[in-house]
Amino acid sequence: MEFLAYLFYPNPGRLTYSSPVIIAALVACAALVVLSFAIKYWRGQVQNAVTKKLSRAWSSISFWFGLTGLVLVVARVEKIQFVAMRFLWVLWALVLILLIALQWRIFRSRHYEVLPRVGKVDPRDQYLPGKKK
């Protein structure tokens, strides 16, 4: 019962922006936002249509999870009740892990590469008669 009270307490203890945990969370969430722009740039450079199609959601997932994490960090430091609950961090991490696993599985199952077709070269073709016109 104490564990549930710990997770769902609407106003957890006071943290400051100088706390190492808060700094690490801010850096990680900001890195997710920056990663979303890097993924968007990378997708513009990709020539393989299948890879481009399968990686379409990666940029938006990264951006929104980074932004949501930043909101949760600021809510925790500023003591905004019910948004600062520890359970929301557990839910955030669980959904992020599930989405990464789902995207990885979809990418592995649907990604393919079109191999160039190699024509059969038969040296007898030059000696055989061709089609009549």
Side-chain angles (χ1 to χ4, degrees), residues 71-83:
V71 167
L72 289 175
V73 169
V74 170
R76 177 73 187 265
V77 173
E78 299 296 331
K79 294 179 72 172
I80 300 173
Q81 288 189 355
F82 296 105
V83 182

Side-chain angles (χ1 to χ4, degrees), residues 31-98:
L32 279 174
V33 172
V34 171
L35 180 67
S36 73
F37 295 115
I39 291 171
K40 191 170 202 126
Y41 174 75
W42 170 76
R43 280 192 72 237
Q45 306 298 320
V46 171
Q47 299 297 323
N48 190 346
V50 177
T51 304
K52 193 177 250 189
K53 181 180 178 184
L54 291 174
S55 64
R56 182 176 37 209
W58 296 356
S59 176
S60 62
I61 288 173
S62 177
F63 179 78
W64 286 110
F65 270 93
L67 195 65
T68 305
L70 288 173
V71 167
L72 289 175
V73 169
V74 170
R76 177 73 187 265
V77 173
E78 299 296 331
K79 294 179 72 172
I80 300 173
Q81 288 189 355
F82 296 105
V83 182
M85 281 194 298
R86 292 178 181 102
F87 176 72
L88 292 178
W89 276 107
V90 172
L91 188 65
W92 181 86
L94 183 66
V95 171
L96 181 62
I97 290 169
L98 286 175

